[in-house]
């Protein structure tokens, strides 16, 4: 049993229907009773954190609450033999930051089977440059590869390309030799999207609703991070036998499409979940990201913020203004 530790966390309170976050002093005695207590040094910012912090009850039911769907740090106490104190770990997904106090606090206590030992070549900050977004981008790319989408088959589209998932997907696909078309609402940031490796930057309005049932095939595959109407349009542009990894919903959860892309061109729509999949599946992608799938541009350009800057940074996610990877450094 570890003695009580006081620590700081960015907690969100509900007051008269409004949700307000602030840095507070907390105590490890108030964390849930789980097997592994972790001192978190870094977390990363994700769209889902912005939903939690703004009171989305599909993500977080009860407040006050500490968001942060991922965390990296060091174990300080553990009741399981193979995860000893001092072991650096990564935790992403499952219930972290949803209804379990998350990485925006300096301590978390989680089940042992949520913890991945830190890859040897990484510090905690590097792990959180990738974070949930990097893991998701990696899973999206792995699914395309599993469907045998190859660089020589044609271009790959990435929607929401400037976002946390989209920017890593763009860099990773490009480094694997794919020709990437970045579809983005921020065409004024074309230079930075090209620096990620995109060969073309196309305005998001190319996927505005169109009554035509199908379009001229343009992409061998795609990573879609936005869902909704843009995904329905994107499916019309996929080449025969092509595949789309679908992971997000910033443009809406509904998908109004026809069966035509599927029955006329054999297009595959591949769902990607990074949250509830078995730890071994996450581990396989972390192993790649810390090795041959390293995204050096993301590692070198990620923005570090402190807890006091969370409020503003999370609001940018909700209005689509966020770009690239943002790391929360608890030491700042
Ligand atoms: P970000 O906010 O960082 O990126 C989303 C990007 O989508 C924005 O930067 C913007 O990029 C674009 N965008 C924003 N609003 C709209 C809109 N109304 N219509 C079209 N495009 C829009 O979020 P994340 O990258 O963190 O997450 C992306 C999505 O993936 C979210 O829905 C998130 O919940 C989901 N997700 C799912 C996971 C899973 O396990 N399935 C795991 C992680 C994330 P641009 O300006 O370049 O177009």
């Amino acid at each position: 049993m570890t003695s009580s530790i006081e620590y700081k966390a960015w907690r969100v309170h509900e007051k008269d229907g409004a949700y307000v976050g602030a840095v507070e002093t907390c105590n490890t005695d108030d964390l849930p009773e789980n097997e592994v207590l972790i001192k978190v040094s870094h977390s990363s910012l994700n769209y889902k954190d912005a939903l939690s912090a703004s009171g989305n009850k599909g993500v977080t039911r009860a407040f006050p609450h500490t968001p942060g769907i991922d965390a990296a740090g060091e174990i300080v106490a553990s009741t399981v033999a193979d995860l000893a104190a001092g072991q650096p770990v990564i935790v992403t997904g499952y219930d972290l930051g949803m209804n379990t106090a998350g990485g925006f606090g300096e301590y978390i206590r989680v089940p042992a089977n949520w913890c991945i030992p830190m890859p040897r070549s990484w510090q905690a900050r590097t792990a959180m440059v990738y974070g949930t977004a990097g893991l998701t981008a990696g899973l999206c790319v792995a699914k395309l590869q599993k469907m045998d989408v190859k660089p020589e088959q044609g271009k790959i589209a990435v929607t929401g390309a400037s976002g946390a998932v989209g920017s890593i997907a763009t860099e990773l696909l490009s480094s694997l030799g794919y020709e990437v078309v970045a579809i983005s609402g921020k065409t004024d940031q074309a230079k930075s999207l090209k620096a990620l490796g995109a060969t073309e930057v196309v305005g998001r309005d190319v996927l505005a609703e169109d009554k035509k049932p199908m379009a001229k095939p343009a992409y061998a595959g795609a990573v879609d991070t936005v869902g909704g109407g843009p995904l329905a349009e994107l499916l019309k542009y996929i080449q025969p036998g092509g595949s789309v990894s679908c992971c997000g919903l910033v443009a809406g959860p509904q998908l109004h499409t026809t069966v035509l892309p599927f029955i006329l061109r054999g297009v595959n729509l591949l769902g990607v979940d990074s949250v509830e999949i078995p730890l071994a599946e996450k581990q396989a992608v972390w192993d790649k990201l810390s090795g041959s799938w390293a995204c050096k541009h993301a590692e070198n350009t990620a923005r570090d913020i402190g807890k006091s800057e969370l409020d503003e940074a999370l609001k940018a996610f909700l209005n689509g203004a966020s770009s690239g990877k943002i790391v929360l450094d608890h030491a700042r």
Side-chain angles (χ1 to χ4, degrees):
M1 178 83 182
T2 338
S3 49
S4 314
I5 304 168
E6 280 200 346
Y7 67 94
K8 301 282 183 201
W10 190 80
R11 294 234 296 167
V12 177
H13 289 258
E14 178 176 13
K15 197 165 178 249
D16 303 327
Y19 295 85
V20 181
V23 180
E24 290 175 13
T25 301
C26 301
N27 194 299
T28 51
D29 285 347
D30 300 323
L31 289 171
E33 284 186 25
N34 283 315
E35 293 147 324
V36 183
L37 179 67
I38 298 165
K39 184 170 189 338
V40 177
S41 63
H42 295 80
S43 179
S44 82
L45 273 65
N46 294 278
Y47 185 77
K48 201 171 183 181
D49 297 319
L51 293 179
S52 170
S54 58
N56 184 304
K57 293 284 160 74
V59 178
T60 299
R61 288 186 301 274
F63 292 84
H65 171 65
T66 307
I69 62 166
D70 47 32
E74 199 173 284
I75 295 177
V76 291
S78 162
T79 58
V80 293
D82 55 346
L83 286 171
Q87 166 73 53
V89 284
I90 306 172
V91 182
T92 67
Y94 305 117
D95 193 49
L96 188 71
M98 292 179 71
N99 293 291
T100 299
F104 293 177
E106 293 169 353
Y107 283 83
I108 56 173
R109 196 185 279 120
V110 297
N113 63 4
W114 292 8
C115 300
I116 300 243
M118 183 76 64
R120 278 182 210 287
S121 58
W122 275 2
Q123 302 291 320
R125 190 229 177 223
T126 321
M128 288 297 103
V129 166
Y130 295 90
T132 301
L135 173 65
T136 307
L139 288 164
C140 287
V141 171
K143 280 222 165 164
L144 292 182
Q145 288 187 329
K146 205 170 167 188
M147 295 306 291
D148 243 359
V149 177
K150 297 207 166 74
E152 58 273 21
Q153 290 166 351
K155 299 175 183 176
I156 307 293
V158 176
T159 60
S162 75
V165 178
S167 58
I168 298 214
T170 300
E171 181 174 356
L172 176 56
L173 284 161
S174 154
S175 74
L176 293 173
Y178 293 92
E179 192 178 334
V180 183
V181 177
I183 300 183
S184 175
K186 304 184 191 80
T187 42
D188 57 326
Q189 292 181 21
K191 206 168 153 199
S192 54
L193 289 164
K194 286 201 171 161
L196 292 170
T199 48
E200 242 178 276
V201 177
V202 175
R204 170 194 299 172
D205 46 5
V206 74
L207 297 179
E209 194 183 339
D210 188 311
K211 297 275 178 275
K212 283 205 289 284
M214 291 293 275
K216 192 171 161 203
Y219 306 115
V223 170
D224 175 63
T225 74
V226 307
L231 173 57
E233 285 305 313
L234 180 62
L235 289 168
K236 298 178 186 175
Y237 287 89
I238 304 300
Q239 290 169 198
S243 296
V244 179
S245 289
C246 146
C247 69
L249 47 55
V250 293
Q254 269 87 27
L255 181 60
H256 300 292
T257 179
T258 68
V259 296
L260 297 181
F262 310 113
I263 65 173
L264 296 182
R265 293 189 185 151
V267 168
N268 307 297
L269 182 55
L270 316 168
V272 173
D273 165 37
S274 72
V275 180
E276 293 293 342
I277 54 171
L279 206 61
E281 285 180 38
K282 296 185 185 185
Q283 178 86 60
V285 173
W286 288 121
D287 287 348
K288 286 185 174 165
L289 291 171
S290 62
S292 59
W293 282 14
C295 294
K296 290 294 172 193
H297 187 82
E299 290 183 23
N300 294 331
T301 57
R303 189 157 66 89
D304 297 82
I305 64 167
K307 289 187 271 300
S308 63
E309 297 161 275
L310 275 169
D311 192 47
E312 199 182 329
L314 289 170
K315 282 184 177 134
F317 275 82
L318 292 180
N319 57 32
S322 190
S323 60
K325 284 305 322 273
I326 306 173
V327 176
L328 171 66
D329 178 354
H330 280 298
R332 279 169 83 99

